[in-house]
Amino acid sequence: MSIDLDITDLAQRLRRRELRSETLVSDYLARIAALDGWLHAYVAVYADEALAAARAADLQLDQGIWLGPLHGVPIALKDLIDIAGHPTTIGSPIHANTIASHTAELVQQLQRAGAIILGKTHMVQFAMGAWGPNQHMGTPRNPWDDRVHRIPGGSSSGSAVAVAGRLAPVAIGTDTGGSVRVPASYCGITGFKPTVGRISSDGVVTLSQTLDSVGIFAHSAADARVVFDALAPAEPGEWREPLDASRFGIAGVTLGRLPEAFLTDVTPAVRRAYEDAIALYQSLGTQIVEITPPATLSEFKAVTGDIMMTEGVASFEREMTDLDLPVDDSVRPRLLAALDVPALRYLAALRERDRLQAAMEARLQGVAALLTPTTLTTALPLDEVDHGNAPVHYTRIGNLLQMCGVSVPNGRDDADLPTGLQILCPGGEDRLALYLAEVFQRHSDWHRVRANTRAQSTTA
């Protein structure tokens, strides 16, 4: 079926007219109609607009006009990205009727590349949470478990579920402390967080101006690269490796791994998958060295928290302070607490961020990337979530230190739930991070395994 194809295959078939965009979009709309009542990935589906855009894309292709590998390919957007004439809810009923007057720059870029917008996806309210629950608008369910409602990860929960459940071939999310990489790991797909500012945030609602990145969900790093190329064309001097099969080599490259002290809380299945991934890279001729980050995980949490919470409550002060407005119990207390953070503490956190970033850059001299588990565990049942302990232990390092990173599937636990490997590169090395992820996926098949999603309206 067309919904099983990667973007490269779709692009070739669409361009050769072996597949029509209208057919492809219709296939996805049919799957959404069959499954989304159960998966709850979409806030809104723009079926009529998507089909009209697909027909227009087909007419262009019929006339020999090809806009690139996204031409005629459907895509889903996290519902904090503006499309003129449509609501941007930010995951909250407070904004159910907040109609955007402007279309985000990244959406315009996608449309210029020929992509078809399928609709907007659910998210954690105000992008404030990495587990994925949404008390007021409903929590998307992780498609890897037909029986138990497991967390999808957040805050870009619906975007991850849409791709993992094959309700879209690719989706856009945002990442402030791990909100693309964490749900990608839990949902068994690829999640890419570029360097802050590399993809335009014009028309994207801000949680933290310092830490937010627009990111990409896809089935593979190769697919994520296609989307990234459309949204962030390579700049002069940026690392670019020819991407033909004969050049996918990394012999002699040095990669970093975490020391034992940073892995004590990782579950056995996640640890096993991490070690296996490192062994795979070693088998390809890389040198693995131990890199000790310049702060403990708890220290990273404290600095990131002071920045994110302070900037977050500045972004949503009205919603947090008006107690009559419906704000999730897991969101309001944490952001309200930030009103008591003194300005001196916030400024100190920014200074500490700069110090830690310089220290990490020094430790990564000559090292292409730092490899970590993406999360400590696989996806937990929804009722086991501890909102005071967000699953961003490793991912927040990338946001705080202005790095870029990719999470790729790298194993399964005993319950057949996916694990994730995080590849972190220094800021600006976005295509290097994607390249290292592509190399991993050329020598493993974890990203090819799809969740056995099925519609069960009676499933709890």
Side-chain angles (χ1 to χ4, degrees), residues 289-342:
V289 298
E290 195 171 273
I291 299 292
T292 301
T296 66
L297 294 179
S298 60
E299 289 167 341
F300 278 120
K301 178 181 180 180
V303 177
T304 306
D306 281 348
I307 296 171
M308 181 177 67
M309 299 299 185
T310 302
E311 294 181 350
V313 77
S315 295
F316 301 111
E317 181 179 6
R318 179 183 72 87
E319 292 89 345
M320 296 306 112
T321 56
D322 185 342
L323 300 185
D324 291 328
L325 294 177
V327 176
D328 285 11
D329 294 339
S330 61
V331 173
R332 175 173 272 141
R334 290 185 294 151
L335 284 180
L336 278 181
L339 288 174
D340 297 325
V341 175

Side-chain angles (χ1 to χ4, degrees), residues 181 192-196 198 213 228 235 237-239 253-256 291 356-371 397-406 422-436:
R181 291 157 291 158
F192 172 48
K193 184 209 88 71
T195 306
V196 172
R198 196 64 184 86
S213 287
F228 186 61
E235 297 175 342
E238 185 175 352
W239 186 94
V253 170
T254 300
L255 300 175
I291 299 292
L356 292 173
Q357 182 179 348
M360 179 64 97
E361 289 175 353
R363 296 179 191 205
L364 289 177
Q365 286 294 314
V367 180
L370 174 63
L371 307 178
I397 295 172
N399 301 80
L400 182 66
L401 304 187
Q402 304 292 293
M403 302 175 79
C404 51
V406 187
Q422 179 180 222
I423 302 164
L424 279 177
C425 288
E429 299 288 0
D430 302 274
R431 286 179 169 81
L432 174 58
L434 287 169
Y435 178 81
L436 293 171

Side-chain angles (χ1 to χ4, degrees), residues 73-234:
V73 174
I75 190 166
L77 304 174
K78 184 177 182 178
D79 197 17
L80 47 55
I81 300 170
D82 285 344
I83 299 179
H86 290 286
T88 301
T89 73
I90 332 173
S92 172
I94 298 169
H95 293 284
N97 297 312
T98 302
I99 308 300
S101 59
H102 168 75
T103 295
E105 173 60 26
L106 74 88
V107 179
Q108 297 180 52
Q109 289 175 287
L110 290 169
Q111 291 173 329
R112 287 195 294 268
I116 311 297
I117 307 303
L118 279 176
K120 298 276 203 79
T121 56
H122 280 288
M123 56 180 284
V124 176
Q125 195 174 53
F126 306 118
M128 187 59 205
W131 291 109
N134 187 310
Q135 178 182 341
H136 288 91
M137 293 187 68
T139 302
R141 62 181 304 141
N142 193 309
W144 284 89
D145 195 327
D146 284 339
R147 298 179 300 103
V148 178
H149 191 162
R150 292 183 181 272
I151 50 100
S155 63
S156 309
S157 51
S159 289
V161 170
V163 174
R166 285 173 289 164
L167 307 184
V170 65
I172 303 297
T174 59
D175 188 310
T176 306
S179 291
V180 167
R181 291 157 291 158
V182 167
S185 179
Y186 286 148
C187 291
I189 57 176
T190 298
F192 172 48
K193 184 209 88 71
T195 306
V196 172
R198 196 64 184 86
I199 296 176
S200 173
S201 60
D202 173 62
V204 180
V205 178
T206 299
L207 174 64
S208 167
Q209 62 189 38
T210 300
L211 304 173
D212 285 359
S213 287
V214 176
I216 301 163
F217 293 98
H219 287 297
S220 68
D223 280 2
R225 175 174 49 81
V226 170
V227 180
F228 186 61
D229 285 345
L231 294 175

